[in-house]
Amino acid sequence: HDFGLGFCSMIAPLRPHSRRNGISLTEVLVAVVLLGLLMGMSGMALSRIVVQRRVVARRTLATEVLANVLERINALDYGETSDARLRDIQLPASSRAALPGSALHVELDELPDDPLRARRVVVRLAWQDRPNRPESEIRCVVFKYPWNPQTS
């Protein structure tokens, strides 16, 4: 049984592997395209993060400003709580500058059916976070009584 010569003639002769030095132009182009896509997506994500941080910073500031306004209202006696007195409450200039399009609305509601003769003060602070978007707002309610419920 002579398989050596006939068997070997069916197999193609082995060629030595060619050695590649460096990378091809196609590999470089694919890497550049992938890097460009990654940088573009990172830039978009970063810009959204910046916008959201600004929105959160403004909401935090608005909350602090509204807390200060509520403290001023709470400091008023029941007899001093009038529409005229509440209209005098204004936002500080620094807050108006930091909250674009900001507006403070203070409304006084007498509650005639309330046996405790409470007055409800609704305080609303609105501002424009981004153009072409609905305005943002926060709202709080304070009740004023002719007596102090914390000491009674």
Side-chain angles (χ1 to χ4, degrees), residues 1-7:
H1 306 302
D2 185 16
F3 295 107
L5 189 55
F7 183 75

Side-chain angles (χ1 to χ4, degrees), residues 51 53-65 91-103 125-130 136:
V51 168
R53 285 190 63 156
R54 187 179 320 124
V55 167
V56 168
R58 285 181 180 157
R59 180 164 291 279
T60 302
L61 174 65
T63 303
E64 292 170 356
V65 168
L91 288 175
S94 60
S95 300
R96 285 194 308 269
L99 296 170
S102 59
L125 177 58
W127 69 96
Q128 189 69 40
D129 257 330
R130 292 181 272 182
S136 300

Side-chain angles (χ1 to χ4, degrees), residues 1 11 20 28 35 37 62 66 68 83-84 101 110-111 125 137 147-149:
H1 306 302
I11 299 175
R20 290 181 17 188
V28 170
L35 184 61
L37 287 173
L66 192 63
N68 289 336
D83 281 324
E110 298 283 343
L111 303 174
L125 177 58
E137 75 171 33
W147 45 269
N148 188 348

